[in-house]
Amino acid sequence: MPYTEDRSVWFQGQGLWQHVPESDWRDWTWQLKNRITTVEQLERYMTLTPEEKAGCLFANQKLALAITPYFSTSSTGMIRTVPLRKQVIPRSDEMVLSSGEMLDSLGDGRTPSRAVPCGTG
């Protein structure tokens, strides 16, 4: 069933995955194996804005796109401004690097993916 903004046709519980046996639905390994990881998969369940589509296309290069079916039932029917939808669907404005961002935040030439602890107070 394709995604629709018409809330009267939404299912309860498993959303658009009513065909999945409950034993699979409650299995975290099944959820991970069936993550939505491409724009094409995501568009089966919701209508994307141009900014969301561009962000999803860029996800393979910089941002991660991996939405479990369970989590998608919470975000697919939401209007585009709801924070939960913004948390799971990348947008094109997330691709912009500001002047204050650095790939190597410590400036020491090491792996840029290290965490930088920051204590306050």
Side-chain angles (χ1 to χ4, degrees), residues 36-116:
I36 297 169
T37 58
T38 67
V39 175
E40 295 76 23
Q41 289 173 311
L42 191 56
E43 286 184 317
R44 289 184 212 154
Y45 303 106
M46 67 177 62
T47 303
L48 298 174
T49 66
E51 294 80 17
E52 289 172 336
K53 188 167 184 173
C56 290
L57 292 170
F58 192 66
N60 291 336
Q61 299 169 18
K62 181 179 177 184
L63 306 170
L65 177 62
I67 307 168
T68 61
Y70 178 84
F71 199 76
S72 73
T73 61
S74 301
S75 59
T76 55
M78 296 187 172
I79 58 173
R80 291 178 178 92
T81 58
V82 174
L84 186 58
R85 182 169 173 145
K86 289 184 175 186
Q87 289 177 13
V88 298
I89 303 171
R91 291 172 318 284
S92 58
D93 58 349
E94 295 179 67
M95 296 181 268
V96 178
L97 289 176
S98 69
S99 60
E101 289 183 271
M102 297 184 294
L103 291 177
D104 180 9
S105 57
L106 295 177
D108 62 359
R110 295 176 136 189
T111 308
S113 61
R114 293 187 302 153
V116 179

Side-chain angles (χ1 to χ4, degrees), residues 2-22:
Y3 173 75
T4 176
E5 292 286 346
D6 181 3
R7 295 178 185 213
S8 67
V9 298
W10 290 358
F11 297 104
Q12 296 295 317
Q14 292 179 207
L16 299 174
W17 283 271
Q18 292 293 315
H19 62 283
V20 176
E22 187 175 351

